[in-house]
Every structure is written in C-alpha cells, then in structure tokens.
Amino acid sequence: MQVTKHGNEGDREGIYIRGDFIRKKAKKHESKGSMKITFNSSCLAQLEHLFHGIYEAGRPKPNDYYLRGDLVRVFNLMAKEVYGSCNEFPVVEAFGSFLMDMFSVKSDLDLSVNFSNESVELPRDEKIKALRKFAKKLYRLQSRGHVSGVNPIISAKVPILKVIDCGTGIECDISIENKDGVLKSQLVFIISEIDERFQKLSSLMKAWATAYNINSSKDQTLNSLSIILLVAFHLQTREPPILPPFSALLKDGTNPETVRKVVQENLQYGKDNKESIAELFATLLSKLASVETLWPEGLCASPYEGSWISKTWDFKVGHISVEDFTDRSQNVARAVGTAGVKTIYKCVHSSLHHLSVFMDGKIEAPKLKALLFGAEPISHIEKKAKVNRKRSFPFHESAAATPLDPVATKKTRVKDGWSSWGEVDQAYGAIQNCLPSLIPPIPPEKPPFVIPGFDCAWQQGSTGFKDVCGPVLHPCPVPQYSGFDGAHGPVFPAAIGDTQWNSWPM
C-alpha cells in the first residue's frame, strides 16, 4: 500500500510539474503574440460598431424561436406515438445552441428523447434500438414529403438520427437520453448571465467558424460546444478575468438551480474588465494562433480550472484539446483531425491578416465583414421560400456555404504590431455566405413570446431580447398544442400570420 501511495504521489507531482511548465510556456507564447496586436481608437470604434451590427443581424427572429418550439412539440407527439406514453414520458427536450440561446437561423436543432428523470445511463445498444424505431416512423413521413434526409448515424460516440423538416429546412439531430447534453446546455445558459460578452462573443465566433466551414465535427473541425468553451476559457484568462473558473461555479454540484444561486453571487465578477467585443474577438484569435505548436505537447484549455493545463486522452494528445467541464475525462474538441486542425489554423491566420489590414486602414469595414463573416446574407434564401401553411412545415432549400480552399504560400514572420499578420498570404481568400440581413426592430408594445424549453417570456427591444418573467431551469414536458397559455410550461404560437399551423399527419 505504501508503494502504491508513493507512486500515486509521484504521478501527481509529475503531472503538476508538466502542467506548470506548459502553462508558463503557453503564457509566454500568448504574451509574445499579444505584442503583435495594437488597436487605435478610431479603428477599434469602427470594429466594435461592425461586430455589434453583425451580432444584432445574426440574432434569431421571433419566428425562429416559434419554428423550433413547434418542432419540439411535433416530435413530442411523435415520440409518444412511436414508444407509447407512460407517466408523461417519453419527453423530447431541446438542447445545444437553441437551449443556450446561441443559435442562428441556420443552426441545427439538437433533440434528446428521454424516457425518465433517472440518471441511470441507458446501454448503447438500447439507444441504437430506440433510434432505429424512431427512424422507421420518419422514413414513412419522408415518403410522404414531410421530412427528408433521414439518416441514423449509429457509429458516432453519441448515436444520432438526422432528419430535415421539409417546411423550415431545419436539420434536427435526435439522440436518446442525452441528459448530459441537456445539462451542459442549461449550465452554459445560466453562466452566460454573468456577463453578456460571453453570449455575444460565442455567437460571433460560431458565425465566423460557420462562414469558414470549420464548425463541423463530421469534417473534423470544431463543434459548437468546443467553440463556446474556448470563448469561456478566453474570458477566464483575461486580465482582469471576465468569467470565473467553472470549478467555482460548480462548487456545490451541477444541479442547475444550485448553479444559478452561485451565478447570482458572481454577476459583477467581470465588471473591472472593460474590453470590447472587438478586442476580445481579436485577442481570442491571437491566443489560438500563439499556442498552435503547443497542442502536440499536451496543452489543454480547461474552463473548469480557468487555466491552461497539461492533459492527454487515453495516453494521446489532441490536435486541439478543450476539457469538458462536467466530465473532465473528455475532450470536447476530440473530433478535430490532422486535416481539420490545419484548416482551422489557416482560417485563424487568415482572419488575423484581414484584421491587420483593416487596422492599417487599407480596407473598409464592409470589406472586413465580408472577409470574416461572408458576403451573401441569408435573407436572399428566405425570400425564395414559398411557405404553404396548409401542412406543417413546407420544405425549402438553403444555399450551402462555398467551401474554403485556402493555400498558404508564405510563412508568417513575428514582428511587433499588426504588420506581421499582414504577411500571411492573401491566398487564404474570402468566404461566402454567413449571417442573416438586419432584423427590423419589434415595437416595444409587441407582446412577449416564450422560448420553448425555458418557460420564459422574452421581448425584443432596441438592445436585443430582455427577460420578462425569468427562466426556470428545467424544461417541462411539452403540453398539448394550446396557443399562448403560460401555465403549462413551453408555449407555442397558435398561428403565425392568418393561418393555423398543423402537425404532421401521424
């Protein structure tokens, strides 16, 4: 026993030494990278105005909440038909970017079919069996033209069933008993209350990654959770910090109500940091560029600790490592592959180059917007859609983003100021397709609408959506369709325009 104890102590000491070494090395690289960034007040003000406009343009419209909310309702009805109903289960719950309120009009909708409130993990083969049963129902609906793209992916770490609603074009990823995903989404939403910059910067970074085609696990690039946690990590490691380490917020456990209480005690945590979204966007890209060579050495971003750590995954290093804050044995960026990390870093350096050129006054803000977030607004897609509300959700195609084909022909030299980023070859090129066009403001007298899954009314004003009644933490089972009735949890619209919405034929 004594030998084992000493051995464990030696292992812990070795891990601490390695972690301390790579942490100092990462900070040194970051410091060197930050020296390349200089902001002048005029350009910074323009950049902040640009990012504010992009963020506001990318915010979902009320109809986007309604469409996703009604899809949740329809899938709940369908799940009860497929599996039967017992004690109000199964329940289909939304999670991911929709539950975090960090989604855009083109975002997928993540859904979990839950059969109980128990924390017991359902065996993988049972999850696959349940997905296949659901797929049979969707195949029948596909043959009638109500859905398309039905595709069970059972080889994934988390088996999913993909399907596209033919009315909205929204792609849904259905999983079974993905309570961990639901919990993470709830916690991120709650933590985002500490500082609005977390939600805003996450939305912008997701839009940027989507525009560059590097926001896809299947393409071995970054999934949305890894982007959001990298943003959180960046805010935790600013001087002074904007967010606390997640370990401090989860000190009493991961129960959402408990975490909400801790978060309420930290609402002024980042008030001493006055950095703008524009500064944080640029410094996050700089941070990633600075540590590019350190990932193979075991560098890992830990939002749980709020610092760089040294970590391996099954004795292997990740191409990019971002520690899961609820299950620290997992790398949420594990999907990033050899080709994917190269593409990611080409996009990072390309974007820093574009920011450099803008800061030097060589391009105007509209050109920078096109280079960072794409040129073609989603509104062009929406105008082509022919909505037939006589059936549930008529399908319309959305334009696919033009893939990047960046080729580096020069090696970046390190110099002071933005100029070093200007030496990245412009062959990285611009990208197309990004955010929706500007959303006209909704008059303040417009009645609030309810976000499905939150039991919470929100109202859009000149500065975005404000909380009207305060969200609850646990999504309630979706009630029968009954219009605007706030007494039963999530509420969905009885009508949009003059025409009633109908569910799919069962």
Side-chain angles (χ1 to χ4, degrees):
M1 291 296 291
Q2 290 181 345
V3 174
T4 303
K5 181 179 179 180
H6 289 315
N8 290 339
E9 288 177 350
D11 290 342
R12 286 194 294 270
E13 183 178 357
I15 291 171
Y16 175 80
I17 292 173
R18 289 195 302 274
D20 188 54
F21 172 76
I22 201 163
R23 186 181 302 113
K24 290 179 179 178
K25 194 172 182 179
K27 287 183 177 180
K28 183 178 179 180
H29 281 228
E30 280 189 72
S31 178
K32 192 174 181 179
S34 65
M35 293 174 63
K36 296 188 271 182
I37 300 179
T38 55
F39 296 103
N40 66 68
S41 57
S42 176
C43 287
L44 186 59
Q46 291 183 59
L47 192 60
E48 184 68 9
H49 179 74
L50 173 67
F51 282 162
H52 175 75
I54 293 170
Y55 170 76
E56 290 298 328
R59 290 297 294 150
K61 299 188 287 287
N63 278 8
D64 297 319
Y65 289 97
Y66 289 137
L67 289 170
R68 284 160 175 77
D70 208 57
L71 278 175
V72 176
R73 176 191 67 85
V74 170
F75 277 111
N76 265 280
L77 295 174
M78 196 182 306
K80 287 178 171 59
E81 181 192 341
V82 171
Y83 303 112
S85 180
C86 179
N87 298 324
E88 297 187 347
F89 286 95
V91 171
V92 177
E93 295 184 62
F95 66 100
S97 60
F98 180 53
L99 191 56
M100 297 176 197
D101 196 25
M102 295 180 182
F103 75 102
S104 71
V105 66
K106 297 187 72 176
S107 296
D108 296 345
L109 177 62
D110 296 308
L111 300 170
S112 174
V113 183
N114 298 327
F115 294 96
S116 72
N117 282 324
E118 302 296 327
S119 58
V120 179
E121 180 73 12
L122 197 67
R124 180 183 175 85
D125 59 338
E126 290 296 321
K127 292 182 179 180
I128 293 173
K129 182 179 178 181
L131 279 180
R132 284 174 170 161
K133 190 171 184 179
F134 210 136
K136 289 181 180 179
K137 173 67 177 177
L138 292 176
Y139 281 130
R140 291 196 294 271
L141 292 173
Q142 182 171 254
S143 67
R144 301 172 191 170
H146 299 295
V147 300
S148 66
V150 178
N151 182 24
I153 304 177
I154 61 176
S155 60
K157 181 178 176 63
V158 177
I160 61 172
L161 172 60
K162 286 185 172 291
V163 61
I164 299 172
D165 168 56
C166 285
T168 62
I170 296 173
E171 181 174 321
C172 302
D173 291 348
I174 304 169
S175 53
I176 302 296
E177 292 280 341
N178 197 343
K179 294 172 184 174
D180 180 61
V182 175
L183 176 63
K184 283 187 180 68
S185 303
Q186 290 175 330
L187 295 179
V188 168
F189 176 76
I190 293 168
I191 293 170
S192 68
E193 296 178 9
I194 294 176
D195 195 292
E196 65 178 6
R197 287 172 288 185
F198 180 26
Q199 195 270 348
K200 288 184 176 180
L201 187 58
S202 294
S203 297
L204 285 168
M205 288 301 298
K206 283 186 60 185
W208 168 80
T210 300
Y212 273 95
N213 290 329
I214 54 171
N215 181 198
S216 173
S217 294
K218 66 180 180 181
D219 295 331
Q220 298 187 351
T221 56
L222 295 165
N223 60 28
S224 292
L225 182 59
S226 60
I227 293 171
I228 290 167
L229 292 186
L230 281 171
V231 170
F233 176 76
H234 184 52
L235 302 185
Q236 291 169 337
T237 51
R238 301 307 293 158
E239 292 292 343
I242 297 171
L243 290 180
F246 284 4
S247 57
L249 302 175
L250 306 179
K251 62 182 181 179
D252 298 323
T254 58
N255 179 279
E257 294 183 20
T258 303
V259 176
R260 168 61 65 82
K261 293 177 183 177
V262 179
V263 163
Q264 292 299 311
E265 299 169 358
N266 287 273
L267 293 180
Q268 301 299 313
Y269 186 88
K271 67 177 182 178
D272 293 332
N273 185 300
K274 307 300 182 183
E275 289 179 288
S276 66
I277 293 295
E279 290 173 291
L280 292 168
F281 184 93
T283 52
L284 175 51
L285 291 179
S286 174
K287 181 195 292 285
L288 293 173
S290 300
V291 300
E292 180 178 3
T293 61
L294 298 183
W295 301 115
E297 297 182 27
L299 181 69
C300 176
S302 173
Y304 184 83
E305 294 189 14
S307 66
W308 294 112
I309 62 174
S310 175
K311 194 152 191 175
T312 58
W313 316 94
D314 294 329
F315 306 103
K316 297 178 182 178
V317 295
H319 293 288
I320 292 179
S321 293
V322 183
E323 185 183 59
D324 189 325
F325 67 98
T326 60
D327 182 357
R328 301 186 65 193
S329 67
Q330 297 298 315
N331 174 17
V332 298
R334 58 183 172 269
V336 177
T338 303
V341 74
K342 290 179 180 178
T343 301
I344 290 167
Y345 270 98
K346 286 177 181 178
C347 298
V348 168
H349 290 299
S350 174
S351 297
L352 284 167
H353 163 66
H354 298 321
L355 286 167
S356 165
V357 175
F358 174 77
M359 286 294 174
D360 289 341
K362 296 178 181 178
I363 61 172
E364 298 297 325
K367 177 66 174 178
L368 179 66
K369 176 183 176 181
L371 292 170
L372 293 181
F373 298 98
E376 183 181 350
I378 288 177
S379 59
H380 293 332
I381 303 165
E382 293 173 340
K383 288 178 182 178
K384 296 175 184 176
K386 299 294 184 181
V387 179
N388 171 17
R389 300 191 188 278
K390 291 184 179 180
R391 61 190 189 91
S392 176
F393 300 108
F395 177 78
H396 60 85
E397 290 284 356
S398 60
T402 302
L404 283 172
D405 187 19
V407 179
T409 60
K410 295 182 181 178
K411 185 176 181 180
T412 304
R413 296 199 304 271
V414 178
K415 292 183 180 179
D416 291 336
W418 281 96
S419 59
S420 63
W421 296 119
E423 295 189 6
V424 178
D425 191 82
Q426 295 188 33
Y428 290 132
I431 38 75
Q432 297 182 8
N433 199 13
C434 65
L435 297 170
S437 57
L438 287 173
I439 301 168
I442 296 176
E445 63 272 12
K446 184 94 171 180
F449 60 96
V450 178
I451 297 179
F454 292 104
D455 196 21
C456 167
W458 293 69
Q459 192 170 54
Q460 189 180 25
S462 60
T463 58
F465 290 101
K466 61 181 180 179
D467 190 347
V468 176
C469 62
V472 295
L473 301 174
H474 296 289
C476 305
V478 177
Q480 293 293 323
Y481 181 62
S482 57
F484 290 93
D485 181 0
H488 299 92
V491 179
F492 308 113
I496 296 294
D498 299 324
T499 311
Q500 294 286 333
W501 287 12
N502 301 310
S503 63
W504 284 315
M506 293 292 124

